[in-house]
Amino acid sequence: MDTTERLAVEAGFFARHAKALAVLRSLAVSGLLALATVIVIEWITRGSLQQTYAYLTSLQRPGWTTTGVFFLLYLSIDALIGRQHKAVLLVSPLVMLMGVISQQKQVFLTDPLYPTDLLFGRQIIELMPVLVQDRPWTAAALALAIIGGVVGLISLWVFAWRRFRPLTKKERLARLAIALPLLASFASVMDYNEFSWIRDRLKIFPIIWDQAENYRHNGFVMAFAINLPMANVQAPSGYMVDAIDKIPSKPLPAGTTHRSKPDVIVVMSESLWDPTRIKSVKLSPDPMPVIRESQSGNVFSPEFGGLTANVEFEALTGFSNAFLPTGSIPYQQYVRKPIPSLATFFRAEGYTARAIHPFSGWFWNRTSVYKAFGFETFKDVDKMPPLAKRGNFTSDEALTKEIIRQADMQEDPFFFFTVTLQGHGPYDDGRYKKTGVTIDGKLDARDNRMLASYAEGVKEADKSLKMLMDWARERDRETIIVVFGDHLPPLNTVYKNSGYMPGITATRKGTPEQMKDQHETPLVIWSNKTGAEKDLGTISPAFLSYHILKEAGYEHPYYTGFLGAVHDKLRVIDRYMLIDAKGEATADWARKKTIDPLVRDFRFLQHDIMFGKQYGLERFFESHADLMSAGY
């Protein structure tokens, strides 16, 4: 009797809790399906089961976070469909297909799949003939796999519809109530422009300067999601062929006003800034006397403390980051085809166009970008002789000597674009054994040492400019030297503790005075024949091309023509602010009902060349069009 009663009690317990057990079992299956999805995707994109295992077992990578996101996504979609475990049949095939495309893209183009590649779908389609020609057996296997996958997917759908039980209304509401808020909160912390404590704890680290490492650390799905905000590049309202045709232009005289074509050396000096602008401290001696004496004006950097490539993009193309999605990096997301630049202009004039940077070419995707910009050669660290270092990086002195060495080997006029490295952070205590700049003020010892270390780099950049100028003064051919800083250095608490800024990073929005304090870097435009150009004021990097060509004596339909007309009216075009030639600012200009016609046309023309049909290419960039047709 006792046994019978006990069995009855147990049966009653299981009967009462059958639904709860079924729910737990369903959730467990969804979790396993989410884990299986992540394993398969990472295996496809990494090509290694061992690396996939390392990704999922490392506590320093977001493998389990990714699994959790898929789990919540499956719960939500199942609830919307009304039947358990159907979401995996919708989501996983799509993501796996993206993984296959990404893996093949890495084989042929070295880069993983970016959301912005959807803007250039033709490239993905063009991969198919290349695959068939280069790997016919792989292509055949892929075709069979697709056919088998479609057949298998249809069979699974039929099976799932018959076997997977429907979810009750209560179950559906419960899943949505739990999963959707968690997914929404997760999405809210994925903006890499802002630091997120939660994202940091989840081990999701946006490594936007090195997308290969970004995908390796975060995994395919998470890295792809990090890049999503940059994919949405919509055509400006009103963009069409008629709009481009209405942009005024006039025929310009060919050639140069100079007796001979001048050599041009442009140096973007890493984190070059004037530290004496911090008025609460005194630096002795002045770390940048040569720059100060020859200073032409200032560059208004669109960035702070990093994202050098965005400043470089403006300086070389004459285009503006202000017209691109917030947080985007053109070098990584948008430069997928030949784009007009100073390199193509100078090449059309018979110059040698060369990029020089003492670091690896993969950084910021420079190898591919410089090729798209029309540089004939790119001398990165692997293509130059070993150069001496100061602190962590190649010294400005050694790089300047290398520039001079390469220049002395040129017979034709040349255009060199150089990005230095010594000024790169961090500015830690042991970077230099001895610093030659003393800091007098109320900073604590740590901030004092950091500022002294940074100022030492500025002093050596200044000496390197003097070396370059002294060399140029001995040359017969006119030599134009342009030096500017890409952004303010990341000095951490120095800014706040010195009272220079309220925080440790610059503001994105503020008064013109605040924005200039936090975004201005020195600009020198100097010629060995005419000296320094003066009183240029503060300009966006996009206007550097205008001043470089004017100094060199050239006219151009875009760089001096259209861009010159914009420059006559506006000096700074920032995402959140316009500053005109009189120094008057227009905040939040992009949100206003009416936009200045010049700015509108600027945006039209940039979109046309970068993303559109290139209606204005031959009229505004004739030399670039000629080079393209010649198959440069």
Side-chain angles (χ1 to χ4, degrees):
M1 189 66 180
D2 291 341
T3 302
T4 303
E5 287 179 353
R6 188 176 69 254
L7 291 174
V9 170
E10 290 177 357
F13 174 84
F14 284 112
R16 288 193 303 272
H17 297 282
K19 280 190 175 181
L21 292 172
V23 169
L24 290 175
R25 188 164 54 249
S26 177
L27 293 176
V29 172
S30 293
L32 289 173
L33 290 172
L35 177 59
T37 301
V38 175
I39 291 173
V40 173
I41 293 168
E42 292 302 320
W43 193 358
I44 290 171
T45 55
R46 295 173 188 271
S48 167
L49 191 58
Q50 183 179 1
Q51 291 182 26
T52 301
Y53 176 80
Y55 170 71
L56 285 166
T57 55
S58 172
L59 297 178
Q60 300 304 313
R61 300 196 210 176
W64 288 103
T65 300
T66 307
T67 302
V69 170
F70 271 105
F71 174 67
L72 294 173
L73 188 63
Y74 287 168
L75 293 186
S76 301
I77 296 175
D78 284 344
L80 293 173
I81 295 174
R83 196 174 291 263
Q84 63 180 355
H85 311 320
K86 292 296 291 293
V88 67
L89 301 179
L90 284 173
V91 175
S92 59
L94 176 62
V95 180
M96 289 175 192
L97 176 62
M98 292 169 61
V100 170
I101 295 173
S102 181
Q103 191 273 333
Q104 289 299 306
K105 183 169 179 274
Q106 289 180 81
V107 170
F108 292 100
L109 300 177
T110 70
D111 286 336
L113 184 71
Y114 301 129
T116 45
D117 286 326
L118 302 178
L119 300 171
F120 301 92
R122 186 177 67 179
Q123 291 188 18
I124 299 174
I125 295 173
E126 287 176 352
L127 279 177
M128 297 303 109
V130 176
L131 173 62
V132 173
Q133 182 178 0
D134 190 66
R135 299 186 176 188
W137 292 109
T138 302
L142 183 60
L144 290 174
I146 292 173
I147 294 171
V150 171
V151 172
L153 188 60
I154 293 173
S155 301
L156 283 173
W157 266 95
V158 173
F159 174 82
W161 194 259
R162 292 175 178 174
R163 298 297 182 90
F164 294 172
R165 72 174 180 84
L167 296 172
T168 65
K169 184 177 181 181
K170 187 176 180 180
E171 287 179 305
R172 296 173 69 180
L173 290 175
R175 290 183 178 218
L176 290 174
I178 295 172
L180 289 182
L182 288 174
L183 286 172
S185 63
F186 177 81
S188 68
V189 303
M190 288 301 288
D191 181 6
Y192 66 76
N193 289 294
E194 301 291 338
F195 173 77
S196 168
W197 183 89
I198 296 175
R199 188 180 66 219
D200 194 63
R201 299 288 80 75
L202 293 175
K203 305 303 179 184
I204 302 171
F205 304 134
I207 311 172
I208 53 177
W209 58 90
D210 180 3
Q211 288 291 350
E213 180 63 16
N214 191 26
Y215 278 70
R216 188 198 70 81
H217 172 84
N218 293 302
F220 172 74
V221 172
M222 206 60 68
F224 191 87
I226 288 169
N227 285 315
L228 271 174
M230 283 83 78
N232 186 26
V233 182
Q234 297 180 346
S237 177
Y239 167 71
M240 60 183 69
V241 62
D242 290 345
I244 299 298
D245 288 343
K246 289 178 181 178
I247 298 176
S249 64
K250 59 181 180 180
L252 297 172
T256 175
T257 57
H258 283 68
R259 178 171 53 85
S260 61
K261 295 181 177 181
D263 293 327
V264 178
I265 300 174
V266 178
V267 178
M268 187 169 72
S269 187
E270 173 63 46
S271 298
L272 177 65
W273 176 65
D274 182 0
T276 66
R277 295 180 73 156
I278 302 178
K279 300 304 180 184
S280 61
V281 299
K282 182 178 179 180
L283 282 71
S284 181
D286 181 0
M288 44 179 280
V290 177
I291 294 173
R292 198 176 309 285
E293 181 183 358
S294 305
Q295 190 165 347
S296 305
N298 295 289
V299 166
F300 186 96
S301 175
E303 304 298 344
F304 174 87
L307 294 176
T308 297
N310 283 357
V311 186
E312 189 176 329
F313 165 77
E314 290 200 15
L316 284 172
T317 64
F319 293 150
S320 175
N321 288 284
F323 305 136
L324 298 173
T326 302
S328 62
I329 304 170
Y331 272 29
Q332 296 284 11
Q333 286 93 24
Y334 306 132
V335 181
R336 295 287 187 272
K337 61 183 180 182
I339 291 179
S341 75
L342 285 176
T344 54
F345 168 79
F346 279 113
R347 281 188 63 184
E349 294 293 329
Y351 280 63
T352 294
R354 176 175 298 172
I356 303 170
H357 180 50
F359 201 63
S360 299
W362 54 261
F363 200 79
W364 288 128
N365 200 30
R366 282 192 173 101
T367 297
S368 298
V369 169
Y370 287 155
K371 183 177 180 181
F373 282 175
F375 284 99
E376 291 171 283
T377 55
F378 171 30
K379 298 290 186 179
D380 67 358
V381 66
D382 296 324
K383 297 178 181 177
M384 287 189 287
L387 301 180
K389 292 186 177 182
R390 280 285 285 155
N392 303 322
F393 305 109
T394 298
S395 75
D396 285 347
E397 178 184 7
L399 180 59
T400 301
K401 289 179 179 178
E402 176 62 16
I403 293 171
I404 292 172
R405 185 188 73 83
Q406 293 189 33
D408 285 339
M409 296 172 64
Q410 303 299 315
E411 295 183 1
D412 295 329
F414 61 84
F415 166 61
F416 283 0
F417 180 79
T418 303
V419 182
T420 71
L421 196 58
Q422 181 178 338
H424 202 290
Y427 312 103
D428 47 30
D429 295 348
R431 182 161 185 168
Y432 304 112
K433 291 182 179 179
K434 184 179 179 181
T435 57
V437 180
T438 59
I439 311 296
D440 183 19
K442 295 182 179 180
L443 292 175
D444 62 28
R446 180 177 178 275
D447 285 344
N448 200 319
R449 289 193 298 268
M450 180 179 290
L451 184 57
S453 180
Y454 171 72
E456 178 67 23
V458 173
K459 185 182 76 171
E460 296 187 18
D462 193 74
K463 287 183 176 179
S464 296
L465 174 59
K466 182 179 185 301
M467 180 194 303
L468 195 61
M469 287 178 167
D470 289 344
W471 164 79
R473 288 189 179 98
E474 301 299 319
R475 306 187 79 218
D476 292 331
R477 180 183 290 167
E478 180 176 7
T479 305
I480 296 170
I481 297 173
V482 179
V483 176
F484 66 99
D486 53 349
H487 50 68
L488 270 69
L491 291 176
N492 206 327
T493 54
V494 169
Y495 293 118
K496 184 177 181 180
N497 293 341
S498 67
Y500 188 76
M501 294 190 314
I504 63 174
T505 59
T507 182
R508 290 287 181 180
K509 295 182 180 181
T511 65
E513 292 74 22
Q514 288 174 326
M515 296 293 282
K516 286 184 176 182
D517 280 344
Q518 299 174 23
H519 290 274
E520 281 185 343
T521 65
L523 168 64
V524 173
I525 299 178
W526 178 90
S527 166
N528 63 344
K529 300 299 183 183
T530 60
E533 190 173 349
K534 291 287 188 175
D535 301 322
L536 295 186
T538 300
I539 61 170
S540 286
F543 292 120
L544 282 170
S545 54
Y546 165 75
H547 285 286
I548 290 169
L549 294 197
K550 292 296 285 186
E551 180 69 19
Y554 286 101
E555 298 289 341
H556 184 268
Y558 177 79
Y559 292 120
T560 61
F562 175 80
L563 205 57
V566 179
H567 176 270
D568 288 343
K569 187 172 184 179
L570 298 168
R571 300 301 165 84
V572 172
I573 299 180
D574 181 65
R575 192 180 305 280
Y576 303 107
M577 178 179 292
L578 301 176
I579 301 178
D580 65 19
K582 298 179 181 178
E584 297 178 357
T586 303
D588 291 326
W589 59 271
R591 296 187 176 185
K592 296 185 181 298
K593 292 183 178 180
T594 58
I595 296 177
D596 187 297
L598 269 176
V599 177
R600 178 202 63 203
D601 290 346
F602 193 177
R603 188 179 183 187
F604 280 163
L605 195 51
Q606 177 173 320
H607 184 88
D608 179 60
I609 299 302
M610 290 187 66
F611 308 105
K613 302 293 185 179
Q614 297 192 331
Y615 300 124
L617 185 67
E618 292 189 1
R619 185 155 62 99
F620 289 98
F621 300 97
E622 182 179 0
S623 58
H624 177 86
D626 291 343
L627 282 173
M628 284 184 62
S629 63
Y632 87 86

